[in-house]
Amino acid sequence: MDGSATPQSFEPTRNAALDRLRVFAPKAGGDYARLRNYDLGPGRHSHVSTLSPYLRHRLLTEDEVLRTVLARHSPQAAEKFIQEVFWRSYWKGWLEMRPAVWTAYRAGLAAALNRTQVESGLRQRWSDACNGQTGIDGFDHWAHELIQTGYLHNHARMWFASIWVFTLGLPWELGADFFLRHLHDGDPASNTLGWRWVAGLQTRGKTYLARPDNIARYTERRFHPAGLAPAAPPLAGPDHPHRRPAPVSPHWTASRRSGLLLHEDDLSPAYLFETGLAPVSQIRLQTTSARSPLAVSPQVTAFVSAALEDTATRWRDRSGEDAGHHDQVDAIADWARASRLEQIVTPYAPVGPTAEALDKLDAALAPHSIALIRPLRAYDERAWPHATHGFFRFKDQIPSLLSAMGL
């Protein structure tokens, strides 16, 4: 694999993720800081890492990426890239302490979808936007690129979201759902909060306005759209909910009769085996279809399915009997009872469809006295509690977080 690999070449394996990290690491310093805002189109994204699909599912971990980059660059030289890695951690921590924002997004999406059933004008504008038939230069290309490749450059995502909200006047929840259905790196925290930020709901009064000259500059004049909204007034919305405490890892013992549950939010279970976990059986849970009430892209579903199988294969020798790949928690509960498990151990899943499925599983297991253990990674347990306010306050903690990692 080389740095010019096209976005649609995302291979859903850890080896592919490590190859991509190896190729990118030398460019994570000055090259990244200078070129990261340029969207040069499919097949020309080599100036950014394109690691997000792997980080989203933790085929690679943030810890591994930071260690690899800082083996090549000083923290000062790689500052911009390091901040991008920690943005992901910040979004997750922020939503983890305010899960009601995810619940409100889901309710807002349901309401917006209901509107499309009775408002023909809205339904047509939504359909045109999703199918890249608006006539807006650049926007239609990005809609097609997203559907075809499962990837968009981050700057293009911001332009797209701004045009969706302020030029097309579409509900932001429908746009967030469009991304979540089609992005290989579709993530409840980054996606939801990123759209809220563009719309002025995340940081009060702060919106993002897509400007034709900015688009022309950073696409090297591939696009220069006309007719964009000249202003981006913030959308109205409720105040942020009160924070709940950040989660902490539970006390548990690896010596009990255990099963390992793999899920799509964290496919690097080494930290569980390091505790001495020796499962008698392993099973996979896929929740991709629950990302949206609409159909999720088949290529996203296939990516996740293959990534789960890659992880199961890599850990087969230490995972006991293979109990297969499932999309219903009832099958997981049946497996736990049939295997006479005392506990199921699974990586912690942050707010989103997987966490919701695990909550249902926990309730199904309780009458049978089978514990569901969800240990946090040390990286998350250190970082998430700092996501109390805006990113810039969180950013001040990056040196101490790196120091705690020995970096």
Side-chain angles (χ1 to χ4, degrees):
M1 179 182 301
D2 61 31
S4 63
T6 58
Q8 57 264 41
S9 68
F10 287 114
E11 181 185 340
T13 67
R14 176 168 166 80
N15 283 340
L18 291 169
D19 283 347
R20 195 161 291 211
L21 174 59
R22 175 183 55 79
V23 169
F24 172 73
K27 298 180 281 188
D31 287 349
Y32 177 82
R34 186 175 68 257
L35 300 172
R36 65 193 178 95
N37 285 330
Y38 284 89
D39 173 23
L40 305 181
R44 300 186 63 199
H45 291 311
S46 60
H47 53 288
V48 292
S49 75
T50 62
L51 292 172
S52 54
Y54 302 113
L55 282 167
R56 187 271 180 250
H57 301 99
R58 277 186 165 162
L59 281 166
L60 280 178
T61 67
E62 294 86 346
D63 185 290
E64 291 175 305
V65 171
L66 291 167
R67 290 182 187 282
T68 300
V69 166
L70 287 172
R72 301 289 299 262
H73 307 276
S74 70
Q76 294 73 30
E79 180 182 21
K80 290 297 184 183
F81 180 73
I82 291 169
Q83 288 178 8
E84 289 302 312
V85 174
F86 276 106
W87 260 109
R88 177 177 298 273
S89 308
Y90 166 73
W91 284 139
K92 285 186 179 294
W94 195 97
L95 190 60
E96 200 64 25
M97 291 189 281
R98 303 164 183 86
V101 171
W102 169 254
T103 304
Y105 155 67
R106 299 281 255 192
L109 174 59
L113 288 171
N114 286 338
R115 285 182 57 197
T116 67
Q117 300 303 305
V118 297
E119 299 178 31
S120 59
L122 174 63
R123 183 168 62 251
Q124 187 62 55
R125 297 200 319 277
W126 173 50
S127 175
D128 288 346
C130 291
N131 291 307
Q133 296 175 345
T134 67
I136 297 175
D137 191 30
F139 183 93
D140 290 349
H141 167 89
W142 296 316
H144 293 145
E145 182 181 353
L146 174 58
I147 291 170
Q148 292 165 8
T149 71
Y151 182 82
L152 279 182
H153 187 284
N154 186 60
H155 211 165
R157 298 183 197 201
M158 294 167 62
W159 294 323
F160 188 96
S162 180
I163 294 169
W164 181 287
V165 173
F166 299 114
T167 299
L168 297 176
L170 290 165
W172 72 268
E173 294 95 339
L174 291 178
D177 175 71
F178 181 54
F179 272 17
L180 205 55
R181 287 186 283 123
H182 289 283
L183 283 169
H184 282 311
D185 59 25
D187 174 76
S190 297
N191 189 64
T192 305
L193 303 183
W195 274 83
R196 282 171 50 87
W197 180 82
V198 166
L201 296 167
Q202 190 63 24
T203 303
R204 288 301 182 191
K206 177 73 171 180
T207 60
Y208 180 77
L209 178 65
R211 294 181 289 105
D213 59 336
N214 183 263
I215 293 172
R217 175 186 176 186
Y218 287 107
T219 62
E220 293 191 335
R221 306 203 70 81
R222 287 188 303 133
F223 307 119
H224 197 289
L228 300 190
L235 301 187
D239 292 337
H240 296 326
H242 292 298
R243 295 196 311 270
R244 70 178 185 182
V248 295
S249 205
H251 295 290
W252 64 289
T253 175
S255 61
R256 301 181 71 195
R257 184 174 175 85
S258 304
L260 172 65
L261 171 59
L262 296 174
H263 59 71
E264 62 197 69
D265 281 24
D266 193 324
L267 295 174
S268 290
Y271 78 108
L272 300 178
F273 287 99
E274 289 168 0
T275 66
L277 178 67
V280 298
S281 184
Q282 174 248 104
I283 199 166
R284 277 91 68 203
L285 173 65
Q286 181 164 358
T287 58
T288 318
S289 63
R291 295 184 189 186
S292 171
L294 303 178
V296 175
S297 164
Q299 66 173 328
V300 170
T301 301
F303 180 94
V304 173
S305 179
L308 280 160
E309 295 310 305
D310 174 72
T311 305
T313 299
R314 286 186 289 107
W315 291 96
R316 181 167 293 150
D317 291 345
R318 298 184 62 181
S319 297
E321 181 183 1
D322 189 334
H325 188 133
H326 303 272
D327 60 6
Q328 299 294 324
V329 297
D330 289 347
I332 310 296
D334 291 343
W335 158 74
R337 292 193 298 270
S339 301
R340 298 179 289 108
L341 299 181
E342 296 177 273
Q343 63 185 9
I344 296 174
V345 183
T346 191
Y348 187 92
V351 170
T354 299
E356 292 164 356
L358 292 180
D359 287 343
K360 292 177 183 177
L361 176 61
D362 198 15
L365 295 173
H368 305 281
S369 299
I370 302 172
L372 180 62
I373 309 298
R374 297 180 252 189
L376 271 78
R377 293 180 174 277
Y379 174 92
D380 294 333
E381 199 161 12
R382 286 192 296 262
W384 287 356
H386 296 294
T388 54
H389 295 79
F391 177 74
F392 291 103
R393 188 179 298 192
F394 179 91
K395 185 176 70 172
D396 291 340
Q397 301 299 320
I398 290 177
S400 63
L401 292 171
L402 292 176
S403 178
M405 296 165 62
L407 299 174

